[in-house]
Amino acid sequence: MSAETFVLGVDSGGSGLRVALGPVDAENPALTVDCAEPVRTGADGIDAGHLLEQLLPAVRGLLDQAGSGTAVVAAAIGAAGMATLGEQLRALLPDALSDSLGVRRVALAADAVTAYAGALGQRPGAVVAGGTGLIALGTDLTSWRRADGWGHLLGDSGGGAWIGRAGLDAAMRAHDGRRGGSSALLARLEAVFGPATGLPGLLYPRTDRPALLASFAPEVGACALQDEVAAGILREAAAHIAEAAAAVCPRPAGSRPDGCEVALTGGLFRMGEPLLGPLRGELAQQAPQARVVPAEGDPLHGALEIARALAGPGLRLPAHPSLLFVPGVT
Protein backbone atom coordinates (compact mmCIF):
# COMPACT_ATOMS: atom_id res chain seq x y z
CA MET A 1 0.00 0.00 0.00
CA SER A 2 1.35 3.38 -0.92
CA ALA A 3 -0.99 5.52 1.15
CA GLU A 4 0.46 6.83 4.39
CA THR A 5 -2.81 7.49 6.19
CA PHE A 6 -5.04 4.63 7.21
CA VAL A 7 -8.32 3.99 8.95
CA LEU A 8 -9.12 1.20 11.36
CA GLY A 9 -12.28 -0.90 11.37
CA VAL A 10 -13.17 -3.43 14.06
CA ASP A 11 -16.00 -5.98 14.27
CA SER A 12 -16.39 -7.62 17.69
CA GLY A 13 -18.92 -10.41 17.96
CA GLY A 14 -19.64 -13.81 19.40
CA SER A 15 -17.10 -15.57 17.19
CA GLY A 16 -14.21 -13.23 17.97
CA LEU A 17 -12.62 -9.96 16.92
CA ARG A 18 -11.98 -8.98 13.29
CA VAL A 19 -9.69 -6.07 12.52
CA ALA A 20 -9.13 -4.25 9.23
CA LEU A 21 -6.61 -1.53 8.36
CA GLY A 22 -7.42 0.24 5.11
CA PRO A 23 -6.29 3.32 3.21
CA VAL A 24 -8.42 6.41 3.59
CA ASP A 25 -9.12 6.60 -0.15
CA ALA A 26 -10.51 3.01 -0.30
CA GLU A 27 -8.79 2.39 -3.64
CA ASN A 28 -6.57 -0.36 -2.24
CA PRO A 29 -7.72 -3.42 -0.29
CA ALA A 30 -7.58 -3.47 3.48
CA LEU A 31 -5.25 -5.62 5.52
CA THR A 32 -7.18 -7.84 7.91
CA VAL A 33 -6.57 -10.13 10.86
CA ASP A 34 -8.89 -12.27 12.99
CA CYS A 35 -8.61 -12.72 16.75
CA ALA A 36 -10.50 -15.92 17.52
CA GLU A 37 -11.26 -15.20 21.18
CA PRO A 38 -14.55 -13.33 21.77
CA VAL A 39 -14.31 -10.24 23.95
CA ARG A 40 -15.47 -11.00 27.46
CA THR A 41 -18.64 -9.52 28.95
CA GLY A 42 -18.96 -9.16 32.70
CA ALA A 43 -20.92 -7.33 35.37
CA ASP A 44 -19.69 -4.00 33.98
CA GLY A 45 -20.61 -4.84 30.41
CA ILE A 46 -18.18 -5.47 27.55
CA ASP A 47 -14.64 -5.71 28.94
CA ALA A 48 -12.67 -2.83 27.41
CA GLY A 49 -9.38 -4.12 28.78
CA HIS A 50 -9.85 -7.53 27.17
CA LEU A 51 -10.74 -5.92 23.85
CA LEU A 52 -7.61 -3.75 23.94
CA GLU A 53 -5.42 -6.74 24.87
CA GLN A 54 -6.36 -8.30 21.54
CA LEU A 55 -6.84 -5.20 19.40
CA LEU A 56 -3.62 -3.27 19.98
CA PRO A 57 -1.17 -6.08 19.10
CA ALA A 58 -3.29 -6.90 16.04
CA VAL A 59 -3.22 -3.29 14.84
CA ARG A 60 0.53 -2.99 15.39
CA GLY A 61 1.02 -6.13 13.35
CA LEU A 62 -1.05 -4.68 10.52
CA LEU A 63 0.86 -1.40 10.68
CA ASP A 64 4.11 -3.35 10.35
CA GLN A 65 2.70 -4.99 7.20
CA ALA A 66 1.63 -1.61 5.82
CA GLY A 67 5.13 -0.21 6.16
CA SER A 68 6.89 2.55 8.05
CA GLY A 69 5.55 6.08 8.14
CA THR A 70 1.90 5.04 8.31
CA ALA A 71 -0.60 6.63 10.67
CA VAL A 72 -4.12 5.72 11.75
CA VAL A 73 -6.26 8.85 11.46
CA ALA A 74 -9.69 7.44 12.33
CA ALA A 75 -11.17 4.29 13.85
CA ALA A 76 -14.62 2.76 14.10
CA ILE A 77 -15.32 -0.12 16.45
CA GLY A 78 -18.52 -2.09 16.12
CA ALA A 79 -19.45 -4.50 18.88
CA ALA A 80 -22.32 -6.82 19.62
CA GLY A 81 -24.05 -5.50 22.73
CA MET A 82 -22.59 -2.00 22.39
CA ALA A 83 -25.98 -0.32 22.76
CA THR A 84 -26.77 -1.88 26.13
CA LEU A 85 -23.40 -3.17 27.43
CA GLY A 86 -20.95 -0.66 25.99
CA GLU A 87 -20.60 1.88 28.80
CA GLN A 88 -17.04 0.78 29.63
CA LEU A 89 -16.05 0.89 25.97
CA ARG A 90 -17.43 4.40 25.55
CA ALA A 91 -15.65 5.55 28.70
CA LEU A 92 -12.22 4.06 28.00
CA LEU A 93 -11.62 3.32 24.32
CA PRO A 94 -11.34 6.83 22.82
CA ASP A 95 -8.50 7.84 25.16
CA ALA A 96 -6.84 4.42 24.93
CA LEU A 97 -6.77 4.56 21.12
CA SER A 98 -5.47 8.12 21.23
CA ASP A 99 -2.72 7.26 23.69
CA SER A 100 -1.67 3.99 22.05
CA LEU A 101 -2.13 4.68 18.34
CA GLY A 102 -2.50 8.45 18.08
CA VAL A 103 -6.06 8.13 16.76
CA ARG A 104 -8.02 11.34 17.29
CA ARG A 105 -11.29 10.54 15.50
CA VAL A 106 -13.19 7.56 16.88
CA ALA A 107 -16.67 6.12 16.56
CA LEU A 108 -18.07 3.33 18.72
CA ALA A 109 -21.04 1.60 17.14
CA ALA A 110 -23.53 -1.14 17.83
CA ASP A 111 -22.98 -4.06 15.48
CA ALA A 112 -26.35 -3.29 13.90
CA VAL A 113 -24.98 0.12 12.86
CA THR A 114 -21.83 -1.35 11.30
CA ALA A 115 -24.07 -3.92 9.58
CA TYR A 116 -26.13 -1.01 8.24
CA ALA A 117 -23.07 0.90 7.03
CA GLY A 118 -21.69 -2.23 5.44
CA ALA A 119 -24.93 -2.99 3.64
CA LEU A 120 -26.13 0.47 2.56
CA GLY A 121 -23.28 2.86 3.26
CA GLN A 122 -24.43 6.35 4.27
CA ARG A 123 -27.75 6.52 2.44
CA PRO A 124 -31.24 6.29 3.97
CA GLY A 125 -32.96 2.94 4.19
CA ALA A 126 -33.30 -0.06 6.46
CA VAL A 127 -31.25 -3.14 7.25
CA VAL A 128 -32.39 -6.38 8.84
CA ALA A 129 -29.48 -8.24 10.43
CA GLY A 130 -30.34 -11.87 11.09
CA GLY A 131 -28.20 -14.54 12.71
CA THR A 132 -28.75 -16.18 16.08
CA GLY A 133 -30.83 -13.09 16.89
CA LEU A 134 -32.56 -10.51 14.77
CA ILE A 135 -32.57 -6.73 14.70
CA ALA A 136 -33.82 -4.16 12.21
CA LEU A 137 -32.38 -0.68 11.95
CA GLY A 138 -33.43 2.18 9.71
CA THR A 139 -32.58 5.84 9.25
CA ASP A 140 -33.56 8.87 7.22
CA LEU A 141 -30.10 10.27 8.12
CA THR A 142 -31.72 12.39 10.83
CA SER A 143 -32.45 9.74 13.46
CA TRP A 144 -32.39 5.98 13.92
CA ARG A 145 -35.37 3.64 14.18
CA ARG A 146 -34.79 0.27 15.83
CA ALA A 147 -36.98 -2.81 16.04
CA ASP A 148 -36.22 -5.94 18.07
CA GLY A 149 -32.74 -7.15 18.90
CA TRP A 150 -33.93 -7.74 22.47
CA GLY A 151 -32.47 -11.22 22.90
CA HIS A 152 -33.98 -14.68 22.70
CA LEU A 153 -36.08 -14.32 25.86
CA LEU A 154 -37.66 -10.96 25.01
CA GLY A 155 -37.64 -10.93 21.22
CA ASP A 156 -35.33 -11.65 18.29
CA SER A 157 -38.51 -12.87 16.64
CA GLY A 158 -37.85 -14.69 13.40
CA GLY A 159 -34.11 -15.04 14.08
CA GLY A 160 -32.10 -18.24 14.16
CA ALA A 161 -32.71 -19.05 17.82
CA TRP A 162 -36.43 -18.33 17.38
CA ILE A 163 -36.65 -20.67 14.37
CA GLY A 164 -34.58 -23.35 16.06
CA ARG A 165 -36.67 -23.25 19.22
CA ALA A 166 -39.91 -23.46 17.23
CA GLY A 167 -38.51 -26.44 15.32
CA LEU A 168 -37.46 -28.23 18.49
CA ASP A 169 -40.87 -27.51 20.03
CA ALA A 170 -42.54 -29.16 17.03
CA ALA A 171 -40.17 -32.11 17.34
CA MET A 172 -40.97 -32.58 21.04
CA ARG A 173 -44.70 -32.36 20.24
CA ALA A 174 -44.28 -35.20 17.78
CA HIS A 175 -42.39 -37.19 20.41
CA ASP A 176 -45.27 -36.70 22.88
CA GLY A 177 -48.08 -37.19 20.36
CA ARG A 178 -49.37 -33.62 20.79
CA ARG A 179 -50.89 -31.43 18.14
CA GLY A 180 -48.52 -29.38 16.00
CA GLY A 181 -45.81 -32.01 15.98
CA SER A 182 -43.50 -32.86 13.11
CA SER A 183 -42.06 -36.35 12.72
CA ALA A 184 -39.55 -34.98 10.22
CA LEU A 185 -38.21 -32.48 12.75
CA LEU A 186 -38.18 -35.15 15.45
CA ALA A 187 -36.00 -37.30 13.22
CA ARG A 188 -33.62 -34.37 12.69
CA LEU A 189 -33.53 -33.63 16.43
CA GLU A 190 -32.51 -37.21 17.18
CA ALA A 191 -29.93 -37.20 14.38
CA VAL A 192 -28.34 -33.99 15.66
CA PHE A 193 -28.75 -34.18 19.44
CA GLY A 194 -29.53 -37.80 20.26
CA PRO A 195 -32.64 -39.07 22.07
CA ALA A 196 -35.34 -36.42 22.49
CA THR A 197 -35.62 -37.06 26.21
CA GLY A 198 -31.98 -36.03 26.63
CA LEU A 199 -32.45 -32.60 25.04
CA PRO A 200 -33.45 -30.71 28.23
CA GLY A 201 -30.32 -31.92 30.01
CA LEU A 202 -28.22 -30.84 27.04
CA LEU A 203 -29.88 -27.45 26.55
CA TYR A 204 -30.72 -25.96 29.93
CA PRO A 205 -27.28 -26.01 31.62
CA ARG A 206 -25.63 -24.33 28.62
CA THR A 207 -24.63 -20.67 28.77
CA ASP A 208 -24.82 -20.48 24.98
CA ARG A 209 -28.44 -21.60 24.70
CA PRO A 210 -29.33 -19.12 21.92
CA ALA A 211 -26.52 -20.44 19.74
CA LEU A 212 -27.54 -24.04 20.40
CA LEU A 213 -31.14 -23.25 19.50
CA ALA A 214 -30.02 -21.43 16.37
CA SER A 215 -27.95 -24.43 15.29
CA PHE A 216 -31.24 -26.25 14.62
CA ALA A 217 -32.61 -23.53 12.32
CA PRO A 218 -30.92 -24.97 9.19
CA GLU A 219 -32.63 -28.28 9.96
CA VAL A 220 -35.99 -26.50 9.89
CA GLY A 221 -35.04 -24.96 6.56
CA ALA A 222 -34.01 -28.35 5.16
CA CYS A 223 -37.33 -29.91 6.19
CA ALA A 224 -39.51 -27.04 4.96
CA LEU A 225 -39.81 -28.24 1.34
CA GLN A 226 -41.42 -31.53 2.41
CA ASP A 227 -42.86 -30.81 5.86
CA GLU A 228 -45.75 -28.41 6.35
CA VAL A 229 -44.99 -27.78 10.02
CA ALA A 230 -41.44 -26.67 9.21
CA ALA A 231 -42.72 -24.56 6.32
CA GLY A 232 -45.23 -22.94 8.66
CA ILE A 233 -42.47 -22.04 11.11
CA LEU A 234 -40.57 -20.25 8.34
CA ARG A 235 -43.71 -18.45 7.18
CA GLU A 236 -44.23 -17.16 10.72
CA ALA A 237 -40.56 -16.18 10.96
CA ALA A 238 -40.89 -14.29 7.67
CA ALA A 239 -43.89 -12.40 9.05
CA HIS A 240 -41.87 -11.33 12.10
CA ILE A 241 -38.91 -10.25 9.95
CA ALA A 242 -41.11 -8.22 7.61
CA GLU A 243 -42.83 -6.61 10.60
CA ALA A 244 -39.46 -5.48 11.97
CA ALA A 245 -38.42 -4.12 8.57
CA ALA A 246 -41.69 -2.23 8.18
CA ALA A 247 -41.27 -0.68 11.63
CA VAL A 248 -37.93 0.92 10.79
CA CYS A 249 -38.31 1.93 7.14
CA PRO A 250 -37.97 5.71 6.81
CA ARG A 251 -41.20 7.46 5.98
CA PRO A 252 -41.67 8.40 2.31
CA ALA A 253 -40.00 11.60 1.20
CA GLY A 254 -39.53 13.43 -2.06
CA SER A 255 -35.90 12.39 -2.16
CA ARG A 256 -36.91 8.72 -2.09
CA PRO A 257 -39.50 8.35 -4.87
CA ASP A 258 -38.71 4.67 -5.30
CA GLY A 259 -39.49 3.74 -1.71
CA CYS A 260 -37.26 2.45 1.06
CA GLU A 261 -34.17 0.38 0.30
CA VAL A 262 -34.04 -2.69 2.56
CA ALA A 263 -30.95 -4.89 2.79
CA LEU A 264 -30.89 -8.32 4.43
CA THR A 265 -27.60 -9.25 6.02
CA GLY A 266 -26.32 -12.05 8.23
CA GLY A 267 -26.10 -15.81 8.19
CA LEU A 268 -29.82 -16.35 8.72
CA PHE A 269 -30.58 -15.41 5.13
CA ARG A 270 -28.21 -18.03 3.77
CA MET A 271 -31.11 -20.41 4.45
CA GLY A 272 -32.27 -19.38 1.02
CA GLU A 273 -35.61 -19.79 -0.64
CA PRO A 274 -37.44 -21.65 2.15
CA LEU A 275 -37.19 -18.40 4.16
CA LEU A 276 -36.69 -15.78 1.44
CA GLY A 277 -39.73 -16.89 -0.55
CA PRO A 278 -42.27 -16.24 2.20
CA LEU A 279 -40.31 -13.16 3.28
CA ARG A 280 -40.77 -11.54 -0.12
CA GLY A 281 -44.51 -12.10 0.16
CA GLU A 282 -44.67 -10.70 3.70
CA LEU A 283 -42.65 -7.62 2.75
CA ALA A 284 -45.01 -6.96 -0.17
CA GLN A 285 -47.93 -6.97 2.28
CA GLN A 286 -46.45 -5.32 5.36
CA ALA A 287 -43.95 -2.93 3.77
CA PRO A 288 -45.06 -2.26 0.19
CA GLN A 289 -42.66 0.70 0.07
CA ALA A 290 -39.70 -1.62 0.69
CA ARG A 291 -37.31 -2.40 -2.17
CA VAL A 292 -34.94 -5.23 -1.27
CA VAL A 293 -31.37 -4.58 -2.43
CA PRO A 294 -28.20 -6.66 -2.05
CA ALA A 295 -25.98 -5.84 0.91
CA GLU A 296 -22.78 -4.19 -0.33
CA GLY A 297 -20.61 -5.57 2.46
CA ASP A 298 -20.45 -7.02 5.96
CA PRO A 299 -20.11 -5.29 9.37
CA LEU A 300 -16.31 -5.11 9.12
CA HIS A 301 -16.68 -3.31 5.79
CA GLY A 302 -19.21 -1.07 7.53
CA ALA A 303 -16.76 -0.20 10.31
CA LEU A 304 -14.21 0.83 7.68
CA GLU A 305 -16.83 2.94 5.90
CA ILE A 306 -17.65 4.79 9.13
CA ALA A 307 -13.94 5.36 9.84
CA ARG A 308 -13.40 6.68 6.31
CA ALA A 309 -16.33 9.06 6.74
CA LEU A 310 -14.76 10.37 9.95
CA ALA A 311 -11.45 10.85 8.20
CA GLY A 312 -12.79 12.40 5.03
CA PRO A 313 -16.08 13.85 3.84
CA GLY A 314 -17.87 13.60 7.17
CA LEU A 315 -20.23 11.18 8.86
CA ARG A 316 -23.78 11.37 7.48
CA LEU A 317 -25.18 8.57 9.62
CA PRO A 318 -26.76 10.13 12.72
CA ALA A 319 -24.75 10.07 15.92
CA HIS A 320 -26.52 8.48 18.88
CA PRO A 321 -25.47 8.09 22.55
CA SER A 322 -25.56 4.28 22.45
CA LEU A 323 -25.96 3.20 18.80
CA LEU A 324 -23.27 5.41 17.23
CA PHE A 325 -21.14 7.21 19.80
CA VAL A 326 -18.77 9.84 18.44
CA PRO A 327 -16.84 11.69 21.17
CA GLY A 328 -17.31 15.43 20.85
CA VAL A 329 -20.41 14.99 18.69
CA THR A 330 -22.81 12.66 20.53
Side-chain angles (χ1 to χ4, degrees), residues 85-171:
L85 300 171
E87 183 175 351
Q88 191 178 125
L89 298 187
R90 290 187 286 270
L92 299 179
L93 253 58
D95 285 345
L97 293 174
S98 176
D99 293 344
S100 301
L101 301 172
V103 183
R104 297 288 184 265
R105 284 166 281 186
V106 176
L108 305 178
D111 57 343
V113 172
T114 51
Y116 185 102
L120 292 181
Q122 295 206 90
R123 59 185 191 267
V127 167
V128 181
T132 296
L134 187 127
I135 185 170
L137 200 65
T139 183
D140 57 2
L141 303 186
T142 300
S143 62
W144 292 102
R145 296 174 65 90
R146 168 185 173 166
D148 215 335
W150 305 122
H152 75 292
L153 293 179
L154 297 176
D156 285 354
S157 300
W162 186 98
I163 292 171
R165 185 202 174 281
L168 292 170
D169 177 80

Side-chain angles (χ1 to χ4, degrees), residues 185-232:
L185 289 172
L186 176 59
R188 295 312 306 153
L189 182 159
E190 293 174 337
V192 174
F193 297 116
T197 53
L199 184 61
L202 175 66
L203 177 65
Y204 292 139
R206 297 277 289 261
T207 57
D208 61 343
R209 284 186 296 273
L212 188 67
L213 292 171
S215 72
F216 197 68
E219 304 295 338
V220 179
C223 289
L225 294 177
Q226 293 83 31
D227 183 76
E228 177 56 31
V229 173

Side-chain angles (χ1 to χ4, degrees), residues 174-186:
H175 175 271
D176 295 346
R178 291 179 286 147
R179 288 181 298 175
S182 164
S183 58
L185 289 172
L186 176 59

Side-chain angles (χ1 to χ4, degrees), residues 302-315:
L304 279 175
E305 287 298 300
I306 291 172
R308 287 187 173 114
L310 289 175
L315 187 63

Side-chain angles (χ1 to χ4, degrees), residues 221-277:
C223 289
L225 294 177
Q226 293 83 31
D227 183 76
E228 177 56 31
V229 173
I233 290 170
L234 295 189
R235 286 195 298 270
E236 188 175 353
H240 285 305
I241 296 168
E243 183 179 37
V248 303
C249 274
R251 298 295 179 253
S255 61
R256 296 188 297 275
D258 296 329
C260 171
E261 286 187 315
V262 177
L264 308 175
T265 184
L268 178 68
F269 300 107
R270 289 197 290 268
M271 193 177 295
E273 197 60 22
L275 177 62
L276 296 178

